[in-house]
Amino acid sequence: MGLMSDPIIAVERVNKQVRDSSGTLTILHDISFALRPRESAAIVGASGSGKSTLLGIVAGLDTPTSGTVRLAGQDLFALDEDARAALRARQLGFVFQSFQLLANLSALENVMLPLELLGASAARARATEMLQRVGLGERLTHYPRTLSGGEQQRVALARAFVVRPAVLLADEPTGSLDFATGERVMALMFDLNREAGTTLLLVTHEDAIAARCDRQLHIEAGRLTAG
């Protein structure tokens, strides 16, 4: 392991191009930035500017046309798919706008799942404690269809944080929530960031959320213009 000041995420000269019938479209152009442990950063920019594509590449879920992404010192795209998935499971938590909860699992089972995949001990106790932290101690046995949007988002947050990830990636984490619920979800993310030392990287179109982060990474037409 490196020193605490070493970047937990290092994005180096990342480009992403896609080809279609009209030619080659550049989605990301020569993006470079680094985040250190405990930092929080917001990726901001107009719709279609490449924000979600960049987040997907940082997660190793999408592949850059060229460039390097290092997660905890490991070159993500030098790894094969299985090794990349294993690194993600150990280091990353995700919060998607669409929650991505498994409909046939209860709230508790959804949160236990990443622990079970890692072979962690005391999965049930740890998942129960995390759901209590997000105010869902009375909803452990409820299935996603019986939970409100805000409750589902809090289950997704609990699932992301239960493994104590080094990095949490969130794509418009309050995009489908009402204002009050969104405020609660964001407060929870920043509380857990402080307590667990988790690095936050958020895609958001909300200025108030971006302003709460240590840094703002502005993307315009696939280029990093500030950050």
Side-chain angles (χ1 to χ4, degrees):
M1 288 296 293
L3 300 173
M4 279 302 288
S5 60
D6 288 350
I8 184 74
I9 296 171
V11 176
E12 298 161 10
R13 309 204 66 168
V14 159
N15 291 275
K16 177 69 176 181
Q17 282 139 0
V18 294
R19 286 182 177 80
D20 63 16
S21 56
S22 61
T24 300
L25 175 67
T26 298
I27 299 174
L28 296 173
H29 184 85
D30 208 30
I31 302 277
S32 296
F33 67 91
L35 291 179
R36 303 199 178 280
R38 297 180 174 268
E39 262 194 299
S40 57
I43 303 172
V44 295
S47 180
S49 58
K51 304 187 301 294
S52 293
T53 301
L54 177 58
L55 198 71
I57 288 172
V58 170
L61 296 170
D62 195 357
T63 310
T65 306
S66 61
T68 307
V69 177
R70 295 183 196 283
L71 174 62
Q74 289 251 37
D75 182 343
L76 268 182
F77 300 105
L79 302 173
D80 66 26
E81 191 61 48
D82 288 347
R84 195 153 62 231
L87 181 62
R88 269 203 303 270
R90 288 196 307 276
Q91 300 284 355
L92 289 182
F94 298 96
V95 181
F96 298 96
Q97 190 173 347
S98 58
F99 314 135
Q100 304 275 349
L101 299 177
L102 296 174
N104 61 333
L105 298 183
S106 67
L108 180 62
E109 289 164 342
N110 264 285
V111 178
M112 285 171 63
L113 186 62
L115 292 170
E116 291 173 334
L117 292 173
L118 287 172
S121 59
R124 179 172 292 271
R126 287 170 63 182
T128 300
E129 180 188 11
M130 188 55 76
L131 282 163
Q132 288 167 343
R133 275 294 319 273
V134 301
L136 292 176
E138 306 295 309
R139 295 276 192 274
L140 301 180
T141 59
H142 288 59
Y143 288 85
R145 67 179 178 276
T146 67
L147 299 173
S148 70
E151 288 170 336
Q152 289 185 58
Q153 188 66 302
R154 283 184 281 159
V155 174
L157 261 184
R159 180 184 60 188
F161 268 103
V162 76
V163 295
R164 297 257 158 181
V167 178
L168 180 77
L169 305 175
D171 192 0
E172 298 283 9
T174 61
S176 50
L177 305 179
D178 64 74
F179 179 77
T181 307
E183 283 292 295
R184 284 204 300 275
V185 164
M186 289 313 302
L188 185 66
M189 286 181 77
F190 284 103
D191 285 350
L192 291 168
N193 162 244
R194 281 192 297 273
E195 290 170 24
T198 297
T199 301
L200 292 181
L201 183 60
L202 319 174
V203 165
T204 184
H205 65 277
E206 297 188 41
D207 294 342
I209 293 172
R212 290 171 69 171
C213 292
D214 299 325
R215 293 167 60 191
Q216 290 82 43
L217 302 168
H218 294 267
I219 293 188
E220 283 181 29
R223 294 173 186 268
L224 197 59
T225 59

